[in-house]
Each structure stands twice: as C-alpha cells, then as structure tokens.
Amino acid sequence: MNNHIEKQYILAIDNGTQSVRAILFDLKGNIVAKSQVHLEAYFSDHPGWAEHHPEDYWQAVCTACQRLWASSGVSSASLHGVAVTTQRGTMINLDQHGKPLRPAITWLDQRRTDVVPAVNPLWLTAFKIAGVSDTINFFRGEAETNWIKEHQPDIWDKTAHYLMLSGYLNYRLCDKFIDSIGSQVGYLPFDYKGLKWAGKLDWKWQALAIKAETLPELVAPGTIMGSITPEAATQTGILAGTPLLAAAADKACEVIGAGCQQAHIGCLSYGTTATINTTSKKYLEVTPFIPPYPAAIPGSYSTEVQIFRGYWMVNWFKEQFGHHEQLEAAAQGLVPEELFDELVNAVPPGSMGLMLQPYWTPGIKVPGPEAKGAMIGFGDVHTRAHMYRAILEGLAYALREGKERIEKRSGVAMTELRISGGGSQSDAAMQLTADIFDLPTSRPHIYETSGLGAAIDAAVGLGLHPDFDTAIRAMTRIGKTFEPIAHHHQIYNELYHRVYQKMYARLQPLYKEIQQITGYPQMH
C-alpha cells in the first residue's frame, strides 16, 4: 500500500513575486523534486509602477516544469493532477483571442487614479454613516481596472477577459477562463462573505469599471477545472489530459500547508509581506469593513492581518548594511542567514532599547495613509546588529498586535504558532517570535508551504485523501519547535505594552506634518 501511495504524485506550480517553482509532492507531503526559475520581480516605466509581461510568467512556468522532468527523472505519467498557486492581486487584460493587451499590473504597483466610476448617492450616504467613505474611496482609486479605463481606454475597450495571474495560468494550462474562489484577493467585484462574484446590486459593480462578462467562472478549491491541453503539454512536458485543480492564493495555501486549519493555531508568514492568519468557518472582519480572505478550504475564511513591507525590510537591511556578512558567507561557503543569525544573537532581547515600528508603507486603516516607519531609542551603544534585531522584533510586535485583534474578534485564543516563508529559516527570528508572543512557535517540516497547500487542495479534489482533515494530517507536520524563554518574554512584554503599542498614536500627528511638508507619502 505504501509503495502505491509513494508513486502518486501531484505537481504544484507556485508563481510568487521572486520566482516560479514547480514542485512534485507525494501524498505524505514530501517534496519528490523541485525546480525554480527566478523572475525579475517587475519593471517600472514610472516611479511607483510595477509591471510584468504575462508571457514571461507563462514561459517561467514552462521552463520550471521542463527542468523538473529533466532533473528528477520522474515521468510526468506518474502525475495525478496539477494545481496552481500564485501571488495575489496581480491583474491581466486579455483580448478576445486570449492574448495579453498590456503588461500585468502586479500587487506591488502603487499607481492610483482620481477619476473613478460614479457610485449611487444612496451607497455614498450609507458609507458616510458607517464611517468608511475613506476606505471605499481608497478601494476605487487603487483598482487597476479604473486606472486602465481612465488612462488606456482603447485597451479597456478591447479587454474581453480580465483575470488574476492564477486565472491566466489556468487558462494557459486548460484553455478555459476559470479560477479558484480561494484566489480572489484584489480590487474585484467579489462577495467575500458569500465567496462568489458580487450580486448585481452590490456597490462594487458601480465602484469598478469591470464588466461581468470579462470575469472568469469561479469554483471552490479542490474542484477539477479542466485538463492540460495538448498545446500546454508540448510546452510544459505535463501529459495532455492530466487534471487541473483549483487551489488558492499563495498565502491561503501557506496556511493549510503549515497545518493551520484550526482557529487556535496562528499562522505567521515571514515573506515579502508579513502576515498573521487563522482559519475560520465564520466570516470575521478583524479590521472593520476589511473582509477576511477566502481560505484554501472551501467555505472557510482566512482572518488575515498584514504588514505590507514585512520581510522586505530584512532584505533592505541586508542590501544596505549586510555586505560584510554576504561576502564572508560566500568566502566560507556558508548560507548568509547563519551569519545574520550571529548578528541577532550578539544583541540582547529588546535591542538595548532600540524600537522599530514597521509601517514602511501607508495603509488604509491600521496604519493609516499617512503612516511611515520609525526607529526610536538610539544610543551610542547601538550597532548594525542592534538595528537588525530591532527590525525582527518590530515585525513580531506588529504581528502580535494583529494576533490580539484576531483573538478579540474571534473569541478564540491562539495557543501555538507556525511560521512559514523565507524568514522562518532563521532560528534567531523563530526564537524571538516565540519570546514576544510567549507561545510555542514551530516551523513546518518543509519550507515550500504554499506549494504544499496547493498539493493538499489537489489531493482532496482527486479523492487521493478523503477530506481536508485527513489530507492536512497526512501531508503536514512540524519540523522544529521553539519554546519561549520566560526572562526574554518579560522584557518584550514590558516594551510591547509600554512603548510599542503607544508609538503609532504618538507619532501619527508628526507623520501627517511630514506628509504635508514633503508630499511623501503622496496624499490620496
């Protein structure tokens, strides 16, 4: 029986911001083979723009798949199914022949438009009464569709299909305009509570320039959407006729790939965007009027709080101040992370009073549109090492605040944490997270949790595991657990309550002054 299970493989295609990965999983959640193609994250014709050619994404998928078969020696005939997971909020316009009309606007893009479709005055009054007019205006101005309609009307008129990156890759693989409910995170007329396209009378249809006929069919995670076409088979090496299954967006897949399907397990993602998530069967708005996202489990929600430029800050530090460690690591044949961990461990918990507030990108509500980052408490004792540790601590404080907001709304206390994403590879980051949250903190048995989550969706959809509980139990497990150190937690707890939690409110008026004087961040 075991041999039979070992030979049943699922291919997860994970198209992130930095790379595309083709990963072969068995039904126990082991990686059988993996191939990675690095991407230029985006190109920018104007400050703040971030675009990527759709064809480049597809070519990277094809290359990753072809390399996988070549390097692993596994035949694609042993493949039972394929599932795609991608970065969220990256939008693609196709013409009636399915050809891209312009580069994809990626989730990192910061363009806005002030010219937005008119919304019925009754809705506007309701928003005003509810105190959410700013949030709604932000939504209308941020929506890529409204910018394209205003600035590139000819392209908008030719747009026959308006898809997220996930929907585009599904189309290239199975020749159908279809996508997973679990992938719909973006400026779209989506009903987050009902987990379907919004009803005809919903205000989002008025607020966005989108026509219903340009949107794909939506199905629940785990649904067979179609099969690999002969053309896609030629380009990817996947056998024609192999089933293509609906998964979910990368963060949603990460949550189940890290084994977090119960509300008491907090799932932290230390990626480009740092997030804290729990899975809930109930619809819960952790921040008022900011909906939870669809989970990778049908009919469930991800209660997510995100720090937009999360672990990007760690990379920023390494680029600006980490050349010594990077050169040293190359010379010694080490992974740079090991030397960065030494930097962190050379500094006591609390970084000798250096405190970071990680709001380096403005938000909608928490933080607000005027937000900036801050570091306070500098003294002559501080070095790069203190600064690096303060970044990691600041991110953990911000996520702890997110945890407390989720607990308050859900009424369920978190009793343990799982961390995935690039930052989870650092033992020092894992330990200080355990200390700040005062909870046992584990990393999953593999680092590729979003790919694993997509494979779990496929395994359940194909009936290779009978249900999500069984699949998650069989395919996920804990790699290493970090227990909180009481003395460290005591220091962090004082700093968190007495300093960190007061920083934003006290600095906010100054951020507004900075914004008015310098025009940065730009007023919306």
Side-chain angles (χ1 to χ4, degrees), residues 172-191:
R172 296 300 296 261
L173 288 164
C174 77
D175 200 30
K176 284 164 73 177
F177 295 105
I178 190 165
D179 202 4
S180 172
I181 287 166
S183 297
Q184 305 312 303
V185 179
Y187 297 102
L188 290 165
F190 183 72
D191 172 358

Side-chain angles (χ1 to χ4, degrees), residues 290-355:
I290 307 287
Y293 296 140
I297 300 174
S300 295
Y301 305 92
S302 281
T303 58
E304 177 176 304
V305 174
Q306 52 178 270
I307 311 301
F308 189 67
R309 282 279 190 191
Y311 258 71
W312 172 89
M313 281 199 276
V314 174
N315 293 333
W316 169 85
F317 175 87
K318 289 173 182 174
E319 279 170 23
Q320 303 297 330
F321 307 107
H323 298 291
H324 170 72
E325 282 71 23
Q326 283 168 338
L327 292 171
E328 194 64 26
Q332 294 183 37
L334 296 170
V335 187
E337 269 35 58
E338 288 182 42
L339 296 184
F340 283 111
D341 269 7
E342 283 177 22
L343 264 190
V344 178
N345 292 329
V347 171
S351 304
M352 298 173 82
L354 197 59
M355 299 282 289

Side-chain angles (χ1 to χ4, degrees), residues 18-320:
Q18 320 273 342
S19 69
V20 172
R21 298 181 289 287
I23 312 169
L24 216 49
F25 288 96
D26 67 18
L27 292 188
K28 292 178 175 173
N30 299 309
I31 292 179
V32 178
K34 170 181 159 179
S35 152
Q36 185 167 16
V37 175
H38 288 279
L39 296 167
E40 281 296 318
Y42 59 85
F43 64 85
S44 189
D45 289 341
H46 294 271
W49 288 21
E51 300 185 329
H52 199 104
H53 292 295
E55 187 61 34
D56 285 357
Y57 284 130
W58 171 244
Q59 287 307 327
V61 167
C62 296
T63 305
C65 290
Q66 295 284 7
R67 280 187 197 162
L68 185 73
W69 314 124
S71 64
S72 67
V74 175
S75 154
S76 63
S78 60
L79 205 56
H80 280 250
V82 183
V84 170
T85 181
T86 69
Q87 52 177 283
R88 309 184 296 195
T90 289
M91 303 308 304
I92 295 172
N93 298 65
L94 302 181
D95 67 14
Q96 63 192 33
H97 307 296
K99 296 281 179 281
L101 286 161
R102 67 174 323 286
I105 299 182
T106 76
W107 67 274
L108 287 157
D109 193 280
Q110 289 176 20
R111 79 188 74 185
R112 293 180 52 80
T113 177
D114 294 325
V115 181
V116 294
V119 170
N120 184 307
L122 290 173
W123 277 116
L124 294 178
T125 308
F127 296 147
K128 204 165 178 183
I129 292 166
V132 291
S133 297
D134 288 352
T135 305
I136 304 300
N137 287 335
F138 183 88
F139 175 91
R140 292 158 79 197
E142 283 288 313
E144 301 83 1
T145 146
N146 291 347
W147 187 93
I148 296 169
K149 184 171 195 286
E150 168 60 18
H151 295 275
Q152 300 175 334
D154 52 327
I155 285 176
W156 192 248
D157 291 343
K158 287 187 199 130
T159 299
H161 304 283
Y162 188 60
L163 305 169
M164 309 203 86
L165 175 57
S166 47
Y168 174 69
L169 295 182
N170 292 336
Y171 162 65
R172 296 300 296 261
L173 288 164
C174 77
D175 200 30
K176 284 164 73 177
F177 295 105
I178 190 165
D179 202 4
S180 172
I181 287 166
S183 297
Q184 305 312 303
V185 179
Y187 297 102
L188 290 165
F190 183 72
D191 172 358
Y192 285 93
K193 191 171 188 180
L195 298 171
K196 59 185 192 288
W197 290 128
K200 283 194 177 69
L201 300 175
D202 193 294
W203 63 270
K204 294 188 199 82
W205 291 108
Q206 296 176 33
L208 301 169
I210 296 173
K211 301 185 285 285
E213 60 272 18
T214 62
L215 294 169
E217 178 192 346
L218 292 185
V219 294
T223 306
I224 295 178
M225 297 188 288
S227 54
I228 304 303
T229 65
E231 187 186 353
T234 307
Q235 294 183 57
T236 61
I238 305 167
L239 279 189
T242 305
L244 176 66
L245 290 106
D250 55 6
K251 293 283 184 196
C253 284
E254 233 174 76
V255 175
I256 61 166
C260 303
Q261 85 270 37
Q262 287 116 354
H264 68 91
I265 304 175
C267 180
L268 275 64
S269 169
Y270 280 167
T272 310
T273 294
T275 55
I276 179 163
N277 258 302
T278 59
T279 303
S280 167
K281 289 195 165 66
K282 285 195 310 221
Y283 176 87
L284 292 173
E285 291 179 356
V286 177
T287 310
F289 294 95
I290 307 287
Y293 296 140
I297 300 174
S300 295
Y301 305 92
S302 281
T303 58
E304 177 176 304
V305 174
Q306 52 178 270
I307 311 301
F308 189 67
R309 282 279 190 191
Y311 258 71
W312 172 89
M313 281 199 276
V314 174
N315 293 333
W316 169 85
F317 175 87
K318 289 173 182 174
E319 279 170 23
Q320 303 297 330

